[in-house]
């Protein structure tokens, strides 16, 4: 069982930056992803970092604005978000899976409770 805790959300103005953190007792052997869900919309893939190589993948909308990274010593995965836009407003979830990279939320077995990100115009 992997318990995930997200922190770092908040209310910011357009153009600002936020760094989200996802902490667990261990991420060893897990691919970790970030997803988001805006009001009235489905869950959307944001980014993922693979379990061994540390390779990262991003949703198309990211366009270089976000960076996912993992600190294996501290068991934290970060999502650095720059140049935030009002359309980035959503609840951001951290998720983990024991397999390789996937952008499909149904393939992630473990989920945090989410952290709210609100970007004002």
């Amino acid at each position: 069982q992997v318990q995930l805790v997200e922190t770092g959300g908040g209310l910011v103005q357009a153009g600002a930056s936020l760094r989200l953190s996802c902490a667990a007792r261990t991420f060893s052997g897990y691919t970790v992803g970030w997803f988001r869900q805006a009001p009235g919309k489905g869950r959307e893939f944001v980014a993922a970092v693979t379990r061994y190589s540390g390779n990262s993948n991003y949703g198309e909308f990211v366009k270089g604005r976000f960076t996912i990274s993992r600190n294996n010593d501290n068991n934290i995965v970060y999502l650095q978000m720059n140049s935030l836009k009002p359309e980035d407003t959503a609840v951001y979830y951290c998720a983990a899976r024991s397999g390789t990279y996937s952008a499909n939320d149904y393939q992630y077995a473990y989920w945090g409770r989410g952290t709210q990100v609100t970007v004002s115009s």
Side-chain angles (χ1 to χ4, degrees):
Q1 189 79 8
V2 178
Q3 293 183 320
L4 308 175
V5 179
E6 305 98 331
T7 55
L11 171 63
V12 297
Q13 290 188 329
S17 298
L18 277 176
R19 188 176 75 165
L20 306 183
S21 299
C22 176
R25 183 176 300 179
T26 180
F27 281 124
S28 178
Y30 290 91
T31 288
V32 180
W34 285 96
F35 293 81
R36 69 183 188 181
Q37 188 165 21
K41 296 187 177 181
R43 202 149 48 187
E44 179 179 34
F45 171 71
V46 178
V49 59
T50 56
R51 52 185 176 172
Y52 296 127
S53 65
N55 290 336
S56 56
N57 293 275
Y58 297 92
E60 288 188 5
F61 71 89
V62 170
K63 298 187 187 302
R65 297 184 298 128
F66 298 177
T67 303
I68 189 171
S69 61
R70 63 191 299 162
N71 183 323
N72 290 327
D73 292 335
N74 295 326
N75 295 306
I76 299 177
V77 172
Y78 300 101
L79 183 68
Q80 177 67 42
M81 305 188 295
N82 299 326
S83 303
L84 284 163
K85 306 174 182 179
E87 51 263 44
D88 294 318
T89 295
V91 177
Y92 283 71
Y93 296 92
C94 177
R97 68 185 304 265
S98 58
T100 57
Y101 159 74
S102 173
N104 299 313
D105 58 353
Y106 61 85
Q107 293 185 310
Y108 286 77
Y110 306 103
W111 291 82
R113 294 188 175 186
T115 185
Q116 176 71 46
V117 171
T118 304
V119 185
S120 63
S121 58

